[in-house]
Amino acid sequence: MLQLTRLHQTFHPGTPSEVRALSGLDLHIAPGAFVIVLGMNGSGKSTLMNAIAGSFIPDEGEVVLDRQEITHWPEHQRAGMIGRVFQNPFSGTAPDLSILENFALASRRGRSRGLEFALSRTLREEVAERVRGLNMKLEERLDTPIGTLSGGQRQALTLLMATWIKPKLLLLDEHTAALDPKTAAQIIEISCERIERDRLTTLMVTHSMEQALELGDRLVMMHRGRIAYDFSREEKTGLSRTDLLRLFDQARACD
């Protein structure tokens, strides 16, 4: 499904601020896989997500998604294939537009956007039905500006919008990091339900070792822009938080 081959990315090359964010990274994700990406600050996790989403064109390497080579596709062109939920609950939506208007935009993902979208009765009914499944009573507030909602409510809606049109790939970019533990657990539950129900190929970045150990069917650990360790579901079953800390220490020792 997703094939990354020898991705290199250096920011501010030749300056005192030079950062080598990706260093020949290779990664293959099979259709339907739920892969967790774990790494310390500066390991390249966010750069990896941005390279896949098309936020920049990598210095070197190739990005292939669903057998299409998309390395040089702009972000808006990839949006028709990729759904993404960001760390900040206030990213990825139009805060001044209503819940319904935001879903209308999401329904046009990958196509030209504008204010000409149709807020039809059919769309309202479909949005209300899907939102009702969140058990947040937001189906009664579809005309409320989305920017007035809490972070958890907005993140839940963003997740629904990212998967409104089933994406080839779902990117969850530390999407619970800014939430309190109770709300984060609720968003994780919703995420796993959507992933399992629609069999979504998913790449989830997290700082949480608990999430890394409990979620997904594969665990990838990054260090200095590379994949340091890659564990299958069976391999990561026996891992503990202490094991992960030891592995990070080993990776740093090899620098």
Side-chain angles (χ1 to χ4, degrees):
M1 174 59 71
L2 177 68
Q3 180 74 54
L4 308 178
T5 306
R6 297 197 59 76
L7 288 187
H8 288 267
Q9 181 63 34
T10 300
F11 296 109
H12 313 296
T15 74
S17 301
E18 178 176 306
V19 176
R20 186 172 297 176
L22 296 177
S23 302
L25 184 143
D26 293 312
L27 181 65
H28 175 263
I29 299 176
F34 182 6
V35 181
I36 305 296
V37 180
L38 182 68
M40 300 296 186
N41 288 333
S43 62
K45 303 185 305 299
S46 294
T47 304
L48 170 64
M49 299 293 262
N50 288 332
I52 296 170
S55 301
F56 62 84
I57 305 301
D59 297 332
E60 298 179 34
E62 184 178 72
V63 180
V64 176
L65 180 59
D66 195 28
R67 300 182 181 179
Q68 295 189 69
E69 201 271 315
I70 63 171
T71 311
H72 295 91
W73 286 20
E75 190 167 13
H76 72 269
Q77 189 175 356
R78 301 187 198 193
M81 304 174 72
I82 298 173
R84 187 175 185 181
V85 183
F86 296 86
Q87 175 178 343
N88 187 343
F90 298 97
S91 298
T93 57
D96 294 329
L97 297 183
S98 70
I99 293 173
L100 183 60
E101 289 168 333
N102 271 275
F103 272 93
L105 288 174
S107 71
R108 296 180 59 82
R109 191 180 72 230
R111 295 181 285 169
S112 60
R113 294 187 176 184
L115 295 179
E116 74 280 4
F117 49 80
L119 300 176
S120 66
R121 176 179 295 181
T122 299
L123 178 64
R124 178 179 288 271
E125 291 174 351
E126 187 174 0
V127 170
E129 180 63 26
R130 296 201 192 187
V131 171
R132 187 174 293 111
L134 297 175
N135 296 316
M136 294 180 172
K137 297 185 178 181
L138 293 174
E139 67 275 9
E140 303 170 2
R141 303 174 60 188
L142 296 185
D143 296 315
T144 300
I146 203 167
T148 64
L149 303 178
S150 70
Q153 291 171 328
R154 191 162 180 173
Q155 204 69 318
L157 292 172
T158 303
L159 182 62
L160 290 189
M161 287 187 281
T163 57
W164 182 265
I165 300 173
K166 182 179 178 179
K168 300 291 185 182
L169 178 67
L170 176 63
L171 301 178
L172 302 177
D173 195 353
E174 297 191 63
H175 69 311
T176 63
L179 306 175
D180 64 82
K182 182 178 178 180
T183 304
Q186 186 177 17
I187 296 302
I188 287 296
E189 183 178 354
I190 295 169
S191 302
C192 291
E193 187 275 332
R194 301 291 298 186
I195 292 167
E196 182 176 355
R197 190 195 70 180
D198 294 338
R199 298 181 180 179
L200 298 175
T201 305
T202 304
L203 193 65
M204 174 179 161
V205 167
T206 182
H207 267 115
S208 168
M209 294 189 185
E210 288 73 21
Q211 290 180 356
L213 292 171
E214 295 173 3
L215 303 177
D217 49 40
R218 182 176 166 195
L219 171 60
V220 167
M221 296 176 64
M222 289 189 65
H223 182 67
R224 290 193 176 274
R226 293 189 176 93
I227 304 299
Y229 303 99
D230 191 341
F231 300 102
S232 67
R233 180 198 296 270
E234 293 75 18
E235 290 170 332
K236 82 186 192 79
T237 299
L239 293 175
S240 66
R241 179 186 177 91
T242 301
D243 293 326
L244 296 181
L245 291 172
R246 175 177 51 79
L247 292 171
F248 278 124
D249 287 339
Q250 290 179 358
R252 285 194 292 266
C254 294
D255 290 345

